[in-house]
Amino acid sequence: MVTGKGEKIIEINNLQKSFGTFVALRGVSLNVRKGERIVICGPSGSGKSTLIRCINRLEVPDSGSIVVDGVALSDDVKAIEGIRRQVGMVFQQFNLFPHLTVLENCTLAQIWVAKRSQKAAEETAQHYLERVHIPEQMHKYPGQLSGGQQQRVAIARALCMEPKVMLYDEPTSALDPEMIAEVLDVMVEFAESGMTTVCVTHEMGFARKVADCMIFMDEGKIVEASDPNTFFTKPKSERTKLFLNQILEH
Amino acid sequence: MSEAVDHPYRERRGVLRGLWASRKGRGLIYQVLLFSVLLLLILILVSNAFYNMEQRGLKAGFGFLNRTAGFGIVQSLVSYEETSTYGRAFVVALLNTILVASIGVVLATMLGFVIGVMRLSPNWMIARIATIYVETFRNIPLLLQILFWYVAILKPLPAPIDLFQQGESFFLSFNNRGLVFATPLPQAGFSLVLWALSLAVLASIAWSWYARRRQLQKGDQLPVLWPCLAGIVGLPFAVFLLLGLPLDFVPPVMARFTYEGGSTVVIEFFALLWALVIYTAAFIADIVRAGIQGIPYGQSEAAYSLGLKRTQTLKLVTIPQALRIIIPPLTSQYLNLTKNSSLAAAIAYPDLVSVFAGTALSQTGRAIEIMFMTLSVYLSLSLLTSLAMNIYQRRTQLVER
Ligand SMILES: Nc1ncnc2c1ncn2[C@@H]1O[C@H](COP(=O)(O)OP(=O)(O)OP(=O)(O)O)[C@@H](O)[C@H]1O
Ligand SMILES: [Mg+2]
């Protein structure tokens, strides 16, 4: 197993974020190195989504700093757009564009953001659609696909921009059980090919297989961060133990 | 034994009863009934009208359209004199209605989309200004707005007589009579300028086609808008200059009380167009806002996370999806604008209602025919608009499983 010992690609320092009076993040710090695979888990409302949405600034933190690939996130729109190019994101609800075909979903940003030719964009799209095992659905619309297929297209769409980091926010939580495996398989494949990955998930099988580092969050804080072996066999905190017992029982 | 008696009876009742029993059949019966009642009503109305006309010694018919109208119309897109026929007056008035309605629809759509998008701007000031615009203009009766722009803003503009000395000629002026300008008269060689224009348009089409091909194959995005605009404006202008300006202008000249000659777009046109655009754009803005908000925010987030800018996200992701929510209510706004243009009568803009259903009607007394023609025009304009929008709507439908 490769333990990512590359340079830092994401540096998060003392991140704070409130929604009104509710504090969602209370000082979170986290470093991600190139090639590292991080899995974040924790109870509902613990701030996992908020944390990873701050990384590509879908959420604006109140204080603290985030540096992605050497660029500090600020209100500078150009810097934000630049970072979003380097960071791919996969959502729980897929968020495919329903008015575009699968192929067009994958070429849209390549053409308008990466300024590739349509031909080159289509070739890249085909390549990644093959790797997520749905080349034959290329000319269908998202509404014609199953949930698992849609999520795999969403993964391909993000990968087409050739990002340096992939963020997944509970990518399998909206799927029927029989479709979870097909999406996880694809994720494992890309994680093992060396893609830097930050994934929020409760799929512990997936976590055991790919994670270099497990993070447990509760009440807006990182409670525990360790390698998967320590994490699953002898977690330090009582809360982690409790949480693991709860989800592993099911 | 009873079977023999029963059978033919059941046969005979079977057809109607079967129709009544099936949902489709029942629908058919209702429709036939409704249609007959409507037909009957129309028959009664028409025969009643004819009876009344006969009693008064009037003959129905459209022969009056060939008679001389004998009144002037201040603005006409096709040549018209006092000696022209009522038929000609009808055409002139119809074109005036179509002119204000079609320009109005285009401008109201553009303004409405801009204001609608502004309302969703993250900038508090911009969003607030747009909200105030919408809430102000859609809550004041249109007739009042037309009168306001006409009486309070445009009519107080200086009169030509305040602007120019007697005998003075001028090239262009916006005054309380309208937009007054020198009439262009093409001279020998001017057709070359038109040829140059056509050539520039063709070249622009070829250029955009080439740029698109380049994008397909190499990926670089060549500039299209500015080179094309420069060509379409520049080339004809260069030819125009080279030929020694082959265009004469017949300027309006100030006479004793008002100007003579030149061309005029009457001030009533601007008042009506302006009011219709401002009023309808307020409704369109709200439709656009609701349409965009009807698209889940996750769509924008997905686009942002791929690196698309806010404007690109609106143009490529949000608005194309919002269109299918926007188009049906947008269509009714187009119909409203067209129908509302008949309020022209209030400020005497020579539209169909004020000229044909107004002056022509009171002169000829041909109420039935004129009303029939006028109503048919609005009905056809509306149906045509709906048809076009329905065809467009079909293209925006999503493909679902
Ligand atoms: N836009 C928002 N407005 C108000 N409160 C919010 C918003 N987004 C998140 N929150 C609140 O912040 C807290 C943390 O939310 P977050 O989505 O990060 O949790 P999570 O760990 O991802 O939970 P889950 O497992 O349910 O997805 C939650 O209590 C949530 O209600
Ligand atoms: Mg979440």
Side-chain angles (χ1 to χ4, degrees), chain B residues 203-385:
Chain B
S204 300
I205 294 173
W207 175 254
S208 3
W209 181 79
Y210 171 72
R212 169 124 188 86
R213 269 190 72 90
R214 268 283 287 258
Q215 203 287 321
L216 283 181
Q217 274 154 16
K218 297 226 178 70
D220 47 348
Q221 282 160 2
L222 295 172
V224 171
L225 186 66
W226 290 114
C228 289
L229 267 183
I232 289 173
V233 175
L235 186 65
F237 193 68
V239 172
F240 184 65
L241 286 182
L242 279 177
L243 289 173
L245 319 176
L247 191 63
D248 277 358
F249 287 94
V250 185
V253 181
M254 202 59 210
R256 203 166 147 63
F257 297 111
T258 183
Y259 62 91
E260 280 164 4
S263 305
T264 308
V265 184
V266 293
I267 201 76
E268 288 77 17
F269 171 80
F270 291 103
L272 180 65
L273 178 70
W274 182 247
L276 285 173
V277 167
I278 296 281
Y279 177 76
T280 314
F283 287 91
I284 293 180
D286 211 44
I287 290 167
V288 169
R289 177 198 53 80
I292 292 177
Q293 282 183 331
I295 305 305
Y297 190 60
Q299 288 288 310
S300 302
E301 288 192 334
Y304 294 152
S305 71
L306 287 165
L308 290 160
K309 300 180 203 303
R310 193 178 123 82
T311 44
Q312 289 176 327
T313 302
L314 275 170
K315 177 179 137 195
L316 300 167
V317 175
T318 326
I319 289 181
Q321 292 183 60
L323 275 182
R324 91 201 118 100
I325 311 177
I326 290 175
I327 288 174
L330 185 65
T331 308
S332 47
Q333 287 310 319
Y334 288 177
L335 304 183
N336 280 346
L337 190 148
T338 309
K339 291 178 290 183
N340 286 339
S341 74
S342 62
L343 289 173
I347 54 172
Y349 171 73
D351 83 321
L352 196 60
V353 171
S354 84
V355 170
F356 198 61
T359 316
L361 174 62
S362 61
Q363 284 191 11
T364 60
R366 293 287 181 180
I368 305 273
E369 296 87 338
I370 284 182
M371 276 305 164
F372 173 76
M373 284 173 74
T374 312
L375 297 180
S376 318
V377 163
Y378 282 100
L379 189 62
S380 330
L381 284 180
S382 296
L383 290 177
L384 279 177
T385 311

Side-chain angles (χ1 to χ4, degrees), chain A residues 8-33:
Chain A
K8 284 181 201 163
I9 191 157
I10 302 175
E11 297 167 62
I12 300 174
N13 211 334
N14 197 22
L15 210 60
Q16 317 242 7
K17 169 78 185 172
S18 316
F19 295 103
T21 55
F22 182 85
V23 187
L25 292 180
R26 355 180 146 236
V28 173
S29 300
L30 173 70
N31 287 332
V32 183
R33 289 168 189 282

Side-chain angles (χ1 to χ4, degrees), chain A residues 8-12 54-56 66-73 83-84 86-87 165:
Chain A
K8 284 181 201 163
I9 191 157
I10 302 175
E11 297 167 62
I12 300 174
C54 280
I55 296 176
N56 64 356
I66 303 183
V67 179
V68 179
D69 200 23
V71 181
L73 275 178
I83 281 165
R84 284 175 177 164
Q86 310 294 340
V87 178
V165 182

Side-chain angles (χ1 to χ4, degrees), chain B residues 26-78:
Chain B
R26 206 179 291 195
L28 194 73
I29 292 176
Y30 280 135
Q31 284 180 34
V32 168
L33 276 178
L34 186 65
F35 187 72
S36 327
V37 170
L38 273 178
L39 207 64
L40 196 69
L41 270 177
I42 292 171
L43 271 177
I44 291 172
L45 280 175
V46 170
S47 70
N48 184 42
F50 278 99
Y51 176 77
N52 285 341
M53 283 166 71
E54 244 167 57
Q55 291 292 92
R56 284 189 284 155
L58 292 168
K59 264 202 209 99
F62 291 95
F64 76 97
L65 287 175
N66 292 323
R67 298 214 312 263
T68 303
F71 55 82
I73 302 179
V74 290
Q75 177 178 305
S76 55
L77 292 175
V78 290

Side-chain angles (χ1 to χ4, degrees), chain A residues 53 56 78 81 84 87 95-99 111-113 115-119 141 143-145 157, chain B residues 212 215-219 221 298-299 301-302 304-305 307 309 312 315-317 320-321 398-399 401:
Chain A
R53 286 159 56 84
N56 64 356
K78 281 265 162 283
E81 280 160 11
R84 284 175 177 164
V87 178
N95 293 347
L96 291 179
F97 307 130
H99 62 303
I111 290 170
W112 290 91
V113 181
K115 309 258 187 254
R116 290 181 194 150
S117 73
Q118 184 167 343
K119 216 166 134 218
Y141 285 86
Q144 297 170 300
L145 303 183
R157 176 176 72 176
Chain B
R212 169 124 188 86
Q215 203 287 321
L216 283 181
Q217 274 154 16
K218 297 226 178 70
Q221 282 160 2
Q299 288 288 310
E301 288 192 334
Y304 294 152
S305 71
K309 300 180 203 303
Q312 289 176 327
K315 177 179 137 195
L316 300 167
V317 175
Q321 292 183 60
L398 289 183
V399 180
R401 227 186 310 197

